[in-house]
Amino acid sequence: MKKLEHRAIICLLIAAVLVIGVGIFVFRFVTQGADWATYAYNSHIFANGELISGSLYDVNGTLLVGNKDGKAAWLKDAAARRAVAHAVGDSKGNVATGALSAYQDKMIGYNIVTGTYSVTGKGKDITLTVNKDISRTAYNALAGRKGCVGVYNYKTGEILCMVSTPSFDPKNPPSAAKAASGTFVNKFLRGTMTPGSIFKLVTSAAVIENYDNYQNWSYTCTGSRTIGGQKVTCTQAHGRENFSQALANSCNCAFSVLTQKVGASVMKDYVKKTGLTEAYDIDGITNARGTFKFPAYEPLSLAWAGIGQWKDQLNPCSMLVYLSAIARDGHGVEPRFIHSSGSEGKTTDQMIDASTASTLRRMMRNNVTSNYGQANYPGLEIYAKSGTAEVGTANPTAWFCGFIRNEGYPYAFIVCVENGGYGSTVAGPVANTVMQKVVNTESARTQ
């Protein structure tokens, strides 16, 4: 009798193991089936390691990469291929955020019922939001310098441009050993960099909403300010300036005072509130989270953090969403990478008050008219903030970000030129070149 009991227990254990095993298999089949079926040696969807099922198009219907007579066909313009390399990706999967990697199962048309079988035998075509002509303009404007350029529609959320350099030809990608550092990194989506003074747009929002006397506040900048025996420095002595003038002059000394007035706790709240420490789901691709520290017990470090230095690390895509909140009365728009004709974008939670957004717009417009020079952006009603980020002993990194409010052109932009020099001088002209192309391209498209 005991032998029968033992055998029964053993049978039950075996049955339990079988059920668990089947359960694990089913779970993995549902969650990982696409990876199994889209293995590179599956010859009816790959040829010589390149995907030949489905195609990727830019927003205007130009083929970026796809299937032609059983072979992978790439965009013919080599400069344009390099410009969109980080958006499209390559056959070897070097760019994890590239569409070829992120949307491979969609292009093949995989599902758990039919697997990779396609009735047409051609897979699925996907239209991305990027514009290859605008991307090429941005790539050329960077002129071989390291950095990134991002542009998106702050009504629909569609990303028109996500250019990152150094780049490569996705048709003939270099080996990892031969590629320059950062070649395969989409800096717009996955990079985090010291923001410098463009971060003052976040500090400004915190000041407007938490410092009651900011409208009557003023400060006399002598070129430096001593905190705990060490100095916060400016590029020059700005003299007497109010809040708006301090932003236009990008006065470090003034913003060190303002950061201390609002305090570390408020600054921590605002990098979260404005989405800079969050990651967005961009049609299945996530961007990097920014990281910031505001030490209440270290006044000098807190001051530098509010200026956009110390340990601040900002992701350009997240900053673009915050810029959209300034343009849209406090609600940002989540970015998108797959084109959907005529649809409005998904709005974020309210990042800042509508009145705060209005005040920041006035200040950003004043930055242009009083400091950067409207003549440098002909025909564009541009609202902007420059930044010059100190990065150790190397040349500073130049930033320029903002948006335009020309009728019918709701576009926000961000430009980063690594080790390039001063923000408005170096990154500003890149922004102008790109945004002129954006307006001209969209104007021609809608006529």
Side-chain angles (χ1 to χ4, degrees), residues 210-446:
N210 295 275
Y211 178 41
D212 293 338
N213 198 40
Y214 81 88
Q215 292 176 314
N216 299 316
W217 177 87
S218 64
Y219 177 79
T220 301
C221 172
T222 61
S224 67
R225 176 176 177 241
T226 301
I227 303 175
Q230 298 186 58
K231 289 184 177 181
V232 172
T233 57
C234 284
T235 56
Q236 65 182 75
H238 296 117
R240 196 74 176 174
E241 54 192 353
N242 60 26
F243 181 37
S244 182
Q245 291 167 334
L247 185 68
N249 294 329
S250 208
C251 180
N252 290 341
C253 296
F255 269 83
S256 72
V257 173
L258 291 167
T259 301
Q260 289 178 311
K261 284 186 178 296
V262 297
S265 178
V266 168
M267 291 304 301
K268 289 177 183 176
D269 289 342
Y270 272 74
V271 291
K272 182 177 181 179
K273 185 178 179 181
T274 55
L276 299 186
T277 57
E278 302 299 318
Y280 293 99
D281 181 349
I282 308 168
D283 290 324
I285 300 171
T286 56
N287 66 311
R289 299 172 186 268
T291 57
F292 304 85
K293 291 186 177 180
F294 301 98
Y297 52 87
E298 294 180 16
L300 181 67
S301 298
L302 173 61
W304 279 115
I307 293 166
Q309 293 285 161
W310 199 51
K311 295 187 177 182
D312 293 4
Q313 292 290 289
L314 176 142
N315 172 256
C317 182
S318 291
M319 186 63 183
L320 209 56
V321 178
Y322 172 52
L323 290 167
S324 76
I326 299 174
R328 290 173 48 94
D329 291 333
H331 287 276
V333 173
E334 296 187 10
R336 294 159 56 190
F337 191 29
I338 296 178
H339 176 62
S340 179
S341 181
S343 61
E344 289 288 318
K346 180 182 178 182
T347 57
T348 66
D349 293 336
Q350 188 151 5
M351 293 182 170
I352 53 177
D353 293 340
S355 60
T356 302
S358 178
T359 299
L360 284 174
R361 286 197 298 270
R362 288 196 299 272
M363 293 172 71
M364 293 174 71
R365 185 71 185 134
N366 178 64
N367 292 347
V368 176
T369 57
S370 70
N371 196 299
Y372 312 143
Q374 176 57 47
N376 293 318
Y377 312 94
L380 301 178
E381 186 182 338
I382 193 169
Y383 298 68
K385 181 69 187 83
S386 67
T388 304
E390 300 296 333
V391 284
T393 58
N395 287 334
T397 291
W399 291 89
F400 200 74
C401 68
F403 46 88
I404 55 175
R405 285 173 63 86
N406 305 56
E407 185 65 31
Y409 305 114
Y411 298 105
F413 62 86
I414 189 163
V415 175
C416 173
V417 182
E418 297 174 49
N419 310 128
Y422 292 95
S424 60
T425 304
V426 174
V430 176
N432 175 62
T433 298
V434 173
M435 297 314 293
Q436 295 288 352
K437 180 65 175 180
V438 169
V439 170
N440 292 335
T441 299
E442 291 303 291
S443 177
R445 186 178 65 84
T446 56

Side-chain angles (χ1 to χ4, degrees), residues 78-94:
R81 286 200 305 269
R82 290 178 175 274
V84 300
H86 294 91
V88 174
D90 66 292
S91 60
K92 299 185 184 300
N94 289 308

Side-chain angles (χ1 to χ4, degrees), residues 73-131:
W74 289 85
L75 182 65
K76 292 182 179 179
D77 186 329
R81 286 200 305 269
R82 290 178 175 274
V84 300
H86 294 91
V88 174
D90 66 292
S91 60
K92 299 185 184 300
N94 289 308
V95 183
T97 55
L100 276 175
S101 295
Y103 305 139
Q104 181 173 278
D105 57 338
K106 291 183 175 67
M107 293 173 67
I108 292 168
Y110 171 84
N111 64 68
I112 62 174
V113 177
T114 62
T116 61
Y117 173 75
S118 170
V119 174
T120 64
K122 297 180 180 179
K124 182 180 179 181
D125 296 340
I126 296 176
T127 299
L128 303 178
T129 61
V130 294
N131 181 305

